[in-house]
Amino acid sequence: MRQVGYWLMVGLGLLALAQGVPWPQGEKLVYNLLWQGFRVGRLYLTAETLEGGWRFRLRLEPSGLAQVLGYSLEAESQVGPDFFTHQFYQLHSEPFRGSTKLIFRRDEDGCSALVVHPDGRETTWKSSHNDVLDLLALIYYLRLYPETRQIKAVDYPRLAQGRLEPLQSGSLLGYRFAREDVLVEAWYRPDARRTPVRLVFGRDFGRIEATLLENSR
């Protein structure tokens, strides 16, 4: 049954590619970024086609004190025609703590992740699931499938599973995923493109809030 469900999702993904997605090839979104309530720079989110799937990239351009202290964040996600994550890479550097690296891969037997901690220690985890979304892929997946409620998400210590909580604020439609040490919120315009206008990430490194400034495409 799992294989049948998987190939059904692949078929739906191929259909979505054929019909088009609500974001254009080469879309670039620019956000103002706050960390712990302090402005730390701008966040850039891009989407490019890649061999039948998509590549999503996130990059922080730090400013002010954040730049001086070496705060940084970058990530890249590659998804297939089913829009689930094939590969994911994230590097996050925090003042006075160091850098944490996360590397995720999907294979025939499920998926696995390697985490390199600031002290150089390495930890790993594996899962038999392959219908998994990283944080970048989730943002775009919800633009394509706004009815989604249950997800499996890439996280540092283990695979995170749970239900998305639907939210509303004025005309904006949002989703919240909260589990133990991880919080994700994504807010969208209620139009055909479903542009993400506000993103919130939270865990032990604090709360990051990104508010849309411009859309270049």
Side-chain angles (χ1 to χ4, degrees):
M1 290 299 294
R2 180 181 295 176
Q3 285 293 104
V4 172
Y6 169 72
W7 287 113
L8 176 61
M9 291 304 300
V10 171
L12 291 173
L14 290 170
L15 179 61
L17 282 175
Q19 293 177 338
V21 293
W23 61 86
Q25 153 69 5
E27 179 185 66
K28 182 178 181 180
L29 305 175
V30 183
Y31 296 83
N32 181 50
L33 192 66
L34 299 178
W35 175 54
Q36 300 289 76
F38 296 96
R39 184 175 179 180
V40 294
R42 290 191 174 187
L43 194 70
Y44 297 87
L45 195 59
T46 60
E48 302 171 327
T49 53
L50 176 70
E51 298 176 358
W54 287 83
R55 176 190 287 121
F56 307 125
R57 288 175 171 158
L58 177 152
R59 179 177 62 86
L60 166 64
E61 185 179 90
S63 63
L65 185 60
Q67 185 176 20
V68 173
L69 294 177
Y71 183 87
S72 67
L73 176 65
E74 62 180 273
E76 179 177 309
S77 167
Q78 295 182 21
V79 303
D82 57 2
F83 284 88
F84 291 119
T85 304
H86 281 196
Q87 297 181 41
F88 178 64
Y89 169 85
Q90 179 170 294
L91 179 63
H92 182 238
S93 299
E94 302 170 77
F96 314 114
R97 182 176 180 184
S99 299
T100 304
K101 183 187 300 182
L102 172 62
I103 302 171
F104 170 92
R105 291 184 181 276
R106 186 174 83 171
D107 54 37
E108 295 180 355
D109 299 323
C111 61
S112 61
L114 166 68
V115 181
V116 182
H117 300 268
D119 60 3
R121 180 173 51 94
E122 296 184 357
T123 57
T124 61
W125 58 261
K126 293 184 178 182
S127 171
S128 60
H129 295 290
N130 50 30
D131 53 343
V132 176
L133 297 163
D134 64 82
L135 297 185
L136 296 185
L138 176 61
I139 293 169
Y140 288 89
Y141 193 86
L142 289 173
R143 295 177 75 178
L144 188 61
Y145 301 115
E147 71 282 1
T148 301
R149 290 296 178 268
Q150 294 285 342
I151 66 166
K152 303 176 186 71
V154 179
D155 195 15
Y156 285 96
R158 69 188 70 86
L159 185 71
Q161 303 183 57
R163 180 175 175 81
L164 293 172
E165 177 188 355
L167 307 168
Q168 186 162 5
S169 178
S171 63
L172 298 181
L173 302 176
Y175 306 83
R176 177 185 291 127
F177 181 74
R179 286 295 179 276
E180 298 179 358
D181 62 342
V182 61
L183 166 69
V184 181
E185 285 185 17
W187 293 85
Y188 300 86
R189 290 183 182 137
D191 55 21
R193 185 161 288 185
R194 290 182 55 79
T195 303
V197 297
R198 183 170 176 262
L199 306 170
V200 179
F201 306 105
R203 54 180 313 113
D204 56 355
F205 54 69
R207 184 182 177 94
I208 298 175
E209 298 187 34
T211 305
L212 185 66
L213 292 175
E214 60 184 87
N215 184 345
S216 65
R217 293 291 296 273

